């Protein structure tokens, strides 16, 4: 996300408002009424070489003016990120004859057609051109794996709620491939799969992962409501999970049921890709989730620990974000703007429960989750952007500048409603425990708030006042002020929850084992709390703390450290130099290449290496241990 372009993006609400008003006569507003007929859709997903998805749609119509919409506001991305740039080759016919279409000049996701008098259906033909290189977008097709996100493949008629438009889809896969999805299969004939008729909203919310190497693991054996882990991978070896690894994933399901005391799906399907080529992803859906990590998830279990909170996070979203949704997310179709101000509940509390469930299930060690909390607390206790930008404003980031690179990330801030939101819910949990004498906790809130209407799949929407009301039902307190202060104010990060949990943030001169694993996965080394930057294994500056030592020395993201005190850069060499400087008055000298310029940068720093960790506060109850303990 690049704020130098902010003036252009600041016009976005005005442009959208103008587009909607200018197109009001030609784009029918969605009405909660049944669509007269069922869309028939065929998709050929067999091209794993050129990554071209070929789509045909047959849409029942009536003569007259009609508008077709391509999804703009993408489910689970919280913003107007529809892949319109990857749509190509649109042709419309009726009774075998071409029908002209015209894109709306202001709202470009809308396509206007005049349906001929004798037409009962429109035939659409077009392609989705999935990225081939990383510079074009996330890779969703490899020689062995493909992912289908239906919002990128689907067009639908304006004037109706998407949940009232029936659609029946047939999918062609590469020869012999297997697949996972929350969609229910009607039949399979060779490599052609026909899904049961559903509505467009459910359809778009039910992606597909398919692969040459595929394995399905039952995570709740014998249950009436199935929960499956559908794994696709680069090779067969990556699919092999050990019994204790499978048991940890099954414990995640059991712990989620104990926490939420409910389920809100007919069945649940984790779509899980283990690949070096398929793009990494974590995206929630009501009855499934898309998850992508590296191939070694099972085969090098110790090194994969930092990503093992991913599945609990996305699974939690079935309750929080998909079943229970903020009222601003209650929209009739995929072309109506979302209002995101409660994402610190939607994503922040999910981030909290994801880490808690990872510990409770054994997917992560309790000590590792503590280290993760320490890293989060350290970042937000020092992030300078908190001095000018409140947390709630970061809920606008998916709309302003969805996950684009930033020039000065910790000054501009990004989607902090995730991790800083997690700290807020730790704060809430420990406050409930303190006020109730440890008789009640956020567990009780989860059962009451997310456990309503057990078995119901359709969404229940909530407001800020609803959240406050449910919290007061668990433990009376001025929760409205408590939450607003933390969400709307600028200034120091909300770390009170750590102290109530019985822990404090400290810094040590050596990283924990978990921190070493994180650095190994990222292929970078943190000097964030000493010299104020991260460096890649090659010495390239990855990020810089605004007004930190590196910033004040003039370093930027186009800089590379070539040498430390006259010797060729290695991470250990710089670590040793920082450690030695504690007892040596000489400055640390770095030879830096910045653009086409070379210069020596001196750091008169003598406080040693600093790595965040949590330390027990003597004489206080260890509430964090209680929080992370299995139910």
């Amino acid at each position: 996300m690049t704020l130098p372009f902010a003036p252009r993006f600041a016009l976005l609400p005005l442009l959208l408002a103008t587009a909607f008003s200018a197109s009001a006569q030609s784009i029918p507003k969605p009405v909660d009424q049944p669509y007269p007929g069922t869309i028939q859709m065929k998709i050929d997903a067999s091209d794993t070489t050129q990554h071209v998805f070929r789509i045909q749609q047959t849409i029942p119509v009536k003569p007259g003016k009609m508008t077709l919409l391509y999804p703009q506001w993408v489910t689970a991305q919280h913003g107007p990120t529809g892949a319109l740039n990857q749509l190509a080759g649109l042709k419309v016919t009726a009774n075998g004859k071409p029908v002209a279409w015209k894109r709306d000049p202001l709202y470009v996701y809308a396509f206007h057609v005049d349906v001929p008098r004798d037409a009962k259906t429109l035939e659409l033909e077009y392609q989705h051109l999935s990225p081939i290189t990383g510079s074009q977008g996330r890779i969703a097709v490899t020689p062995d794996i493909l992912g289908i996100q239906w919002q990128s493949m689907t067009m639908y008629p304006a004037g109706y709620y998407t949940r009232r438009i029936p659609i029946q889809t047939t999918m062609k896969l590469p020869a012999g491939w297997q697949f996972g999805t929350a969609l229910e299969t009607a039949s399979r004939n060779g490599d052609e799969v026909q899904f049961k008729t559903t509505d467009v909203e459910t359809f778009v919310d039910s992606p597909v992962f398919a692969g040459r190497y595929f394995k399905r693991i039952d995570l709740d054996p014998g249950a009436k409501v199935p929960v499956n882990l559908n794994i696709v991978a680069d090779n067969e070896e990556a699919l092999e999970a050990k019994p204790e690894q499978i048991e940890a994933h099954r414990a995640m399901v059991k712990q989620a049921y104990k926490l939420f005391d409910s389920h809100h799906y007919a069945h649940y399907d984790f779509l899980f890709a283990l690949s070096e080529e398929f793009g990494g992803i974590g995206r929630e859906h009501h009855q499934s989730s898309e998850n992508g990590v590296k191939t070694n998830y099972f085969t090098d279990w110790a090194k994969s620990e930092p990503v093992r909170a991913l599945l609990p996070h996305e699974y939690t979203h079935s309750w929080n974000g998909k079943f229970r949704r903020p009222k601003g997310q209650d929209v009739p179709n995929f072309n109506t703007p979302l209002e995101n101000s409660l994402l610190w509940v939607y994503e922040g509390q999910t981030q909290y429960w994801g880490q808690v469930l990872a510990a409770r299930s054994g997917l992560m060690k309790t000590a590792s989750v503590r280290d993760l909390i320490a890293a989060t607390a350290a970042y937000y206790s020092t992030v300078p952007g908190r001095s000018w930008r409140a947390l709630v404003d970061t809920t606008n980031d998916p709309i302003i500048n969805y996950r684009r690179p930033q020039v000065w990330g910790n000054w501009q801030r990004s989607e902090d409603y995730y991790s800083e939101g997690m700290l807020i819910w730790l704060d809430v949990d420990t406050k409930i425990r303190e006020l109730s004498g440890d008789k009640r906790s956020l567990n009780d809130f989860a059962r009451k708030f997310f456990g309503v209407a057990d078995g119901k799949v359709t969404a229940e929407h909530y407001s800020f006042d609803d959240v406050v009301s449910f919290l007061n039902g668990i433990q009376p307190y001025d929760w409205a002020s408590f939450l607003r202060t933390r969400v709307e104010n600028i200034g120091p990060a909300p770390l009170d929850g750590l102290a109530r949990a019985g822990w404090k943030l400290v810094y040590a001169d050596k990283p924990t084992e978990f921190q070493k694993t994180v650095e190994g996965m990222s292929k970078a080394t943190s000097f964030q709390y000493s010299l104020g930057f991260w460096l890649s294994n090659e010495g390239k500056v990855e990020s810089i703390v605004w007004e930190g030592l590196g910033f004040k020395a003039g370093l930027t993201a186009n800089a590379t450290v070539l040498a430390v005190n006259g010797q060729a850069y290695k991470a250990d060499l710089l670590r040793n130099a920082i450690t030695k400087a504690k007892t040596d008055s000489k400055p640390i000298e770095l030879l830096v290449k910045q653009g086409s310029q070379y210069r020596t940068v001196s750091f008169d720093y003598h406080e040693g290496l600093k790595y965040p960790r949590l330390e027990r506060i003597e004489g206080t109850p260890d509430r964090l241990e209680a929080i992370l303990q299995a139910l």
Side-chain angles (χ1 to χ4, degrees):
M1 302 177 188
T2 357
L3 282 185
F5 299 104
R8 174 161 60 96
F9 285 103
L11 294 174
L12 182 60
L14 177 61
L15 291 174
L16 285 175
T18 303
F20 280 114
S21 62
S23 303
Q25 292 182 351
S26 57
I27 301 179
K29 293 182 179 179
V31 178
D32 192 0
Q33 61 184 349
Y35 187 75
T38 298
I39 296 174
Q40 299 292 324
M41 180 169 174
K42 292 183 179 180
I43 175 170
D44 185 342
S46 62
D47 183 353
T48 59
T49 302
Q50 295 180 311
H51 303 191
V52 177
F53 292 84
R54 303 180 189 277
I55 303 115
Q56 295 176 315
Q57 279 191 326
T58 299
I59 302 178
V61 295
K62 294 180 181 179
K65 294 186 180 300
M66 182 179 189
T67 300
L68 300 170
L69 297 175
Y70 182 87
Q72 179 185 17
W73 291 77
V74 177
T75 179
Q77 289 191 15
H78 314 310
T81 58
L84 189 61
N85 61 310
Q86 295 166 5
L87 172 71
L90 177 61
K91 296 178 182 178
V92 183
T93 60
N95 296 324
K97 298 178 182 179
V99 174
W101 58 265
K102 183 179 181 181
R103 190 193 302 267
D104 192 282
L106 293 178
Y107 187 62
V108 295
Y109 287 78
F111 299 79
H112 305 302
V113 296
D114 287 324
V115 179
R117 284 182 295 178
D118 58 346
K120 294 184 178 179
T121 61
L122 285 182
E123 308 293 331
L124 276 59
E125 181 181 323
Y126 52 95
Q127 301 87 44
H128 168 67
L129 309 180
S130 190
I132 296 173
T133 68
S135 63
Q136 298 167 346
R138 177 181 159 271
I139 300 299
V141 182
T142 77
D144 302 303
I145 300 171
L146 66 85
I148 300 177
Q149 295 178 333
W150 297 113
Q151 74 271 2
S152 299
M153 318 282 173
T154 307
M155 299 183 77
Y156 65 93
Y160 298 83
Y161 282 29
T162 49
R163 63 173 175 261
R164 303 299 298 276
I165 305 174
I167 187 169
Q168 191 277 317
T169 304
T170 301
M171 171 183 70
K172 181 182 178 182
L173 290 172
W177 283 28
Q178 300 301 313
F179 68 94
T181 180
L183 294 174
E184 296 186 358
T185 300
S187 64
R188 178 165 186 170
N189 183 13
D191 298 312
E192 190 168 276
V193 179
Q194 186 176 85
F195 295 112
K196 292 180 181 179
T197 300
T198 186
D199 60 89
V200 169
E201 182 175 303
T202 301
F203 174 66
V204 167
D205 196 39
S206 305
V208 175
F209 275 15
R212 186 189 312 277
Y213 306 104
F214 177 89
K215 189 172 189 176
R216 178 175 289 121
I217 297 175
D218 185 349
L219 294 186
D220 198 6
K224 293 181 180 179
V225 180
V227 178
N228 289 312
L229 183 64
N230 301 280
I231 313 170
V232 291
D234 287 346
N235 52 62
E236 243 179 294
E237 292 76 20
L239 299 173
E240 295 308 312
K242 295 179 180 178
E244 61 270 24
Q245 296 168 347
I246 295 173
E247 187 52 41
H249 291 81
R250 287 175 173 166
M252 169 187 63
V253 175
K254 293 175 184 175
Q255 287 298 313
Y257 284 158
K258 289 181 179 181
L259 174 62
F260 299 118
D261 196 27
S262 62
H263 71 276
H264 300 287
Y265 42 77
H267 48 83
Y268 190 90
D269 287 271
F270 289 98
L271 311 182
F272 197 27
L274 310 179
S275 177
E276 304 302 314
E277 298 180 61
F278 188 78
I281 191 171
R283 187 162 301 153
E284 70 272 15
H285 302 278
H286 200 141
Q287 301 189 93
S288 64
S289 57
E290 299 170 86
N291 309 273
V293 298
K294 296 299 184 182
T295 314
N296 69 343
Y297 182 81
F298 290 119
T299 57
D300 199 348
W301 187 244
K303 290 184 178 179
S304 72
E305 190 180 21
V307 300
R308 283 192 241 134
L310 174 62
L311 293 181
H313 177 102
E314 302 304 340
Y315 189 36
T316 295
H317 269 315
S318 182
W319 288 268
N320 184 17
K322 301 308 292 185
F323 169 62
R324 277 296 218 168
R325 303 181 195 179
K327 286 185 176 177
Q329 309 279 310
D330 185 10
V331 293
N333 64 18
F334 299 110
N335 294 74
T336 302
L338 299 169
E339 197 277 313
N340 287 333
S341 60
L342 288 176
L343 283 181
W344 56 273
V345 183
Y346 179 134
E347 293 288 5
Q349 194 175 143
T350 297
Q351 188 84 344
Y352 181 71
W353 289 130
Q355 294 178 16
V356 168
L357 287 174
R360 289 179 181 177
S361 63
L363 281 170
M364 292 181 68
K365 296 189 286 288
T366 298
S368 298
V369 175
R370 280 202 306 267
D371 289 342
L372 197 54
I373 294 171
T376 304
Y379 178 79
Y380 288 107
S381 66
T382 59
V383 67
R386 297 200 89 266
S387 67
W388 72 274
R389 193 176 182 198
L391 173 67
V392 70
D393 190 53
T394 73
T395 66
N396 296 308
D397 270 33
I399 300 170
I400 295 171
N401 205 5
Y402 186 73
R403 293 180 185 173
R404 298 178 186 180
Q406 290 183 308
V407 182
W408 303 103
N410 55 57
W411 177 238
Q412 295 166 270
R413 306 198 73 181
S414 184
E415 295 170 85
D416 292 345
Y417 52 83
Y418 279 90
S419 295
E420 189 176 327
M422 182 275 292
L423 292 176
I424 289 173
W425 290 103
L426 173 64
D427 206 355
V428 172
D429 197 350
T430 55
K431 190 65 176 177
I432 294 173
R433 291 170 187 262
E434 179 187 62
L435 291 170
S436 68
D438 293 305
K439 294 178 181 177
R440 291 178 292 280
S441 70
L442 200 64
N443 293 336
D444 300 291
F445 171 85
R447 293 187 187 99
K448 294 289 186 181
F449 191 71
F450 301 112
V452 297
D454 181 28
K456 183 182 178 183
V457 175
T458 54
E460 294 270 349
H461 296 88
Y462 63 84
S463 66
F464 175 83
D465 289 342
D466 293 328
V467 175
V468 169
S469 177
F470 271 83
L471 285 172
N472 276 315
I474 302 302
Q475 177 61 53
Y477 189 62
D478 185 5
W479 292 111
S481 297
F482 182 95
L483 294 172
R484 289 194 188 281
T485 298
R486 286 153 179 76
V487 172
E488 297 175 359
N489 288 3
I490 60 174
L495 300 184
D496 295 348
L498 274 182
R500 281 194 221 97
W503 295 80
K504 62 182 176 182
L505 177 66
V506 298
Y507 293 88
D509 59 3
K510 288 184 173 57
T512 65
E513 289 304 311
F514 180 75
Q515 290 166 341
K516 290 179 184 177
T517 303
V518 170
E519 288 194 359
M521 287 187 69
S522 65
K523 299 180 180 178
T525 306
S526 172
F527 302 100
Q528 181 174 0
Y529 302 106
S530 52
L531 301 185
F533 50 72
W534 279 74
L535 296 179
S536 73
N537 287 351
E538 294 74 35
K540 185 179 182 301
V541 174
E542 295 288 337
S543 66
I544 302 177
V545 178
W546 181 266
E547 295 187 342
L549 291 181
F551 179 92
K552 291 176 180 177
L555 295 183
T556 61
N558 68 336
T560 301
V561 176
L562 301 178
V564 180
N565 292 335
Q567 293 183 274
Y569 171 77
K570 290 182 180 179
D572 282 344
L573 190 63
L574 183 51
R575 289 193 193 100
N576 292 338
I578 294 172
T579 300
K580 184 179 178 181
K582 288 181 69 175
T583 56
D584 191 335
S585 60
K586 294 180 181 179
I588 302 164
E589 292 191 343
L590 304 182
L591 176 62
V592 174
K593 181 178 183 291
Q594 200 154 340
S596 61
Q597 304 295 314
Y598 292 79
R599 65 190 181 99
T600 298
V601 178
S602 294
F603 291 91
D604 192 16
Y605 174 78
H606 306 281
E607 297 178 24
L609 293 165
K610 293 182 179 180
Y611 297 96
R613 62 179 65 196
L614 297 186
E615 185 178 276
R616 279 286 286 127
I617 302 172
E618 291 185 15
T620 63
D622 189 351
R623 293 192 176 102
L624 186 56
E625 179 69 23
I627 288 169
L628 300 180
Q629 197 170 61
L631 298 177

